[in-house]
Amino acid sequence: MSKSPNGAATPASIVDALKAVAGNPPKVRASFAKGWCVRGTYTPSDRAGEVTRSQSFTKPSRVLARFSVGGGNPAVADTNNLVLRGFSFKLGDDDHRSDILVESAPVHFARTLDQMQAFLEARIPGPDGKPDMAKVKAFSAANPETLNQASYVAARRLPGSFAGTTYWGVHAFPATNEQGERRFIKFKIVPTGGEITLSEDEARGKPADFLRADLGTRIAAGHVRFNVMALLDRPGDPVMDVTRRWPDEDSRDEVRLGTIVITGLEPDQACDSSIFNPANLADGIGYPPDEIFAARRAAYTISLAKRR
């Protein structure tokens, strides 16, 4: 593992651990390895400027995006109800670009980089191809907050379509509006057609790669549309801890920044030749203050280098 001299986790060691958990498949992303590239458009609402002056969100633009299935295994089955769904998208023009990365759970599985490293190392498969479950249970008992994400996923039915999944940003972003006022927001990407889920029986009847065909069908019908929402902070919200939700997060004040419409599939190379870099944020959206976000900014670049 690529650790610093004092033994602390680094972005490079996190990438190594993510790859090791997945069995070190070559030339793929360390996380959300399975996915499909798409294109679309973004249209801002007339309220976007109340939240942010970022031209990524206040001006219409083209969208390059990628839907994905969680984990580092590109052969993971779409019917696996333990892994997340991901949605990454680029908004704005070359001078005002923002890359936003969201997933189908509102929290991350670790609060600090060292905790994330330990979480992953406990799950690296042994010689039999399976993790040591005693080690996993011991870690979870000592770090109960690392179960928050898995508990959220386990309590919900399997997503039946990328187009019918709600995606969350786990980080609190400082946003500055057109009046110069600053507050924290969280991103929530909501399908305009509502949630699409599968029962266990329905999931058993689906092929392992059903999401790609479903996506193509729904794009052709014009049914892949999302509202880009900003959840507004309140005093005392835990902006530094990505394993915790804000209180009453499902019912708090939110503003629709705009709408994304996915209009077509793109060749994978359009998304795979670079990265959706969380460090790309146009003026008006700042870097979240938590430790995990700071590491992600470096880790995505490291992961790109490893798969080339």
Side-chain angles (χ1 to χ4, degrees):
M1 295 291 174
S2 309
K3 291 193 180 182
S4 61
N6 64 3
T10 66
S13 72
I14 293 293
V15 172
D16 285 347
L18 285 165
K19 298 285 284 183
V21 169
N24 288 302
K27 298 187 181 299
V28 297
R29 287 168 169 80
S31 186
F32 293 95
K34 181 181 184 177
W36 295 275
C37 195
V38 296
R39 65 180 179 274
T41 60
Y42 171 78
T43 304
S45 78
D46 56 7
R47 294 191 63 194
E50 297 175 20
V51 176
T52 176
R53 66 189 178 205
S54 171
Q55 292 189 35
S56 295
F57 293 93
T58 60
K59 305 286 186 185
S61 71
R62 295 177 180 177
V63 174
L64 181 70
R66 182 175 183 267
F67 291 103
S68 55
V69 183
N73 177 10
V76 63
D78 297 346
T79 51
N80 185 329
N81 65 349
L82 301 179
V83 293
L84 298 176
R85 303 296 182 261
F87 183 33
S88 304
F89 54 90
K90 297 176 182 285
L91 300 181
D93 58 27
D94 290 342
D95 296 324
H96 304 280
R97 175 85 67 223
S98 292
D99 292 5
I100 305 298
L101 294 79
V102 291
E103 58 192 36
S104 58
V107 291
H108 190 54
F109 61 81
R111 183 172 46 82
T112 68
L113 209 57
D114 285 343
Q115 188 180 59
M116 186 172 175
Q117 178 92 34
F119 176 99
L120 294 168
E121 288 183 350
R123 288 161 172 78
I124 293 174
D128 63 352
K130 299 176 182 178
D132 181 339
M133 291 312 297
K135 189 184 297 185
V136 172
K137 288 178 180 177
F139 175 82
S140 298
N143 298 267
E145 67 272 23
T146 63
L147 296 176
N148 291 347
Q149 184 189 87
S151 297
Y152 180 90
V153 173
R156 280 151 184 83
R157 285 163 50 120
L158 180 76
S161 173
F162 285 126
T165 298
T166 297
Y167 302 92
W168 306 82
V170 301
H171 304 283
F173 291 80
T176 304
N177 68 11
E178 291 176 342
Q179 286 71 49
E181 300 162 335
R182 183 175 175 271
R183 71 185 304 165
F184 283 102
I185 66 168
K186 281 187 176 182
F187 290 108
K188 180 181 178 183
I189 314 301
V190 182
T192 61
E195 296 279 326
I196 299 169
T197 61
L198 299 176
S199 68
E200 291 184 15
D201 284 345
E202 289 169 330
R204 276 193 287 270
K206 292 285 187 181
D209 298 308
F210 77 90
L211 286 173
R212 165 65 176 77
D214 174 87
L215 183 61
T217 299
R218 293 181 189 277
I219 289 174
H223 293 161
V224 187
R225 305 169 64 93
F226 297 92
N227 286 327
V228 180
M229 309 301 296
L231 304 184
L232 307 181
D233 72 339
R234 297 180 192 146
D237 283 336
V239 298
M240 297 291 286
D241 187 348
V242 291
T243 66
R244 294 171 59 197
R245 301 190 73 185
W246 288 352
D248 304 316
E249 200 170 273
D250 287 322
S251 59
R252 70 168 51 212
D253 292 341
E254 57 186 21
V255 172
R256 184 174 69 87
L257 300 178
T259 301
I260 290 174
V261 179
I262 302 301
T263 57
L265 290 160
E266 280 287 299
D268 287 341
Q269 180 62 16
C271 289
D272 292 346
S273 61
S274 61
I275 55 174
F276 292 85
N277 187 344
N280 288 344
L281 294 170
D283 174 65
I285 301 288
Y287 290 159
D290 66 89
E291 184 176 323
I292 298 296
F293 185 86
R296 291 179 92 170
R297 289 161 49 194
Y300 280 72
T301 302
I302 293 166
S303 177
L304 176 64
K306 285 181 176 291
R307 60 183 162 93
R308 282 185 162 163

